[in-house]
Amino acid sequence: MSNELGAVEAGTFENVEVPMSLPVFDVNMCAEDMDKMATNAMEASNFLKAISHEGRLMILCHLASGEKSVTELEELLSARQAAVSQQLSRLRLEGLVSPRRDGKTIYYRLTDDRPKKIMEVVYDLFCREK
């Protein structure tokens, strides 16, 4: 169903709520809206680049279930500390994860729900039994 802006309303895809409010863009958009669209596209592109690496994607999958220490992530990923730290650094730079220090142990968690929402969609598309 469309609203007055020509956007499709939210729907459900296999028990997952999927927002479907894509606006209709045309050549008559004002400069301010075009600038906002370009800014949003750049942010979305950076987000997608950050999660496009297999190691970073796996880290986000593990963090979607809750906070983990770097050591826990190393074990879950069967990866060396240097590799895990490098990927966490990129995710931190993009604002997707945040660290918490407890003594010598550093824990990471998702900063907001965006990565978890993406992980749910990726899981439904690629991992869920058909």
Side-chain angles (χ1 to χ4, degrees):
M1 179 171 267
S2 296
N3 63 25
E4 63 277 353
L5 296 176
V8 181
E9 303 224 356
T12 303
F13 177 73
E14 292 186 28
N15 298 325
V16 175
E17 189 68 23
V18 179
M20 309 258 310
S21 55
L22 298 173
V24 175
F25 297 103
D26 63 28
V27 294
N28 297 319
M29 287 177 61
C30 70
E32 183 179 327
D33 287 346
M34 289 296 286
D35 288 344
K36 177 88 171 135
M37 183 177 169
T39 299
N40 290 343
M42 184 176 62
E43 288 176 14
S45 176
N46 290 338
F47 175 85
L48 293 170
K49 286 176 193 174
I51 68 169
S52 68
H53 183 277
E54 179 183 345
R56 292 190 294 267
L57 192 62
M58 290 297 297
I59 288 171
L60 293 173
C61 284
H62 290 299
L63 294 180
S65 65
E67 183 179 75
K68 306 278 185 296
S69 71
V70 175
T71 303
E72 287 175 297
L73 290 170
E74 290 170 36
E75 291 170 3
L76 289 166
L77 299 168
S78 298
R80 294 174 314 158
Q81 187 271 333
V84 173
S85 292
Q86 181 181 23
Q87 301 311 329
L88 284 166
S89 177
R90 173 67 190 272
L91 292 170
R92 195 173 58 244
L93 178 69
E94 294 299 330
L96 301 179
V97 300
S98 58
R100 175 181 68 84
R101 181 178 289 277
D102 185 8
K104 291 184 179 185
T105 306
I106 299 175
Y107 294 89
Y108 280 88
R109 67 182 182 285
L110 300 178
T111 358
D112 57 43
D113 282 344
R114 294 174 306 154
K116 186 172 183 178
K117 288 178 181 179
I118 291 292
M119 294 301 99
E120 289 169 351
V121 172
V122 169
Y123 179 83
D124 282 340
L125 292 173
F126 297 98
C127 306
R128 189 173 301 280
E129 297 278 331
K130 298 197 190 299

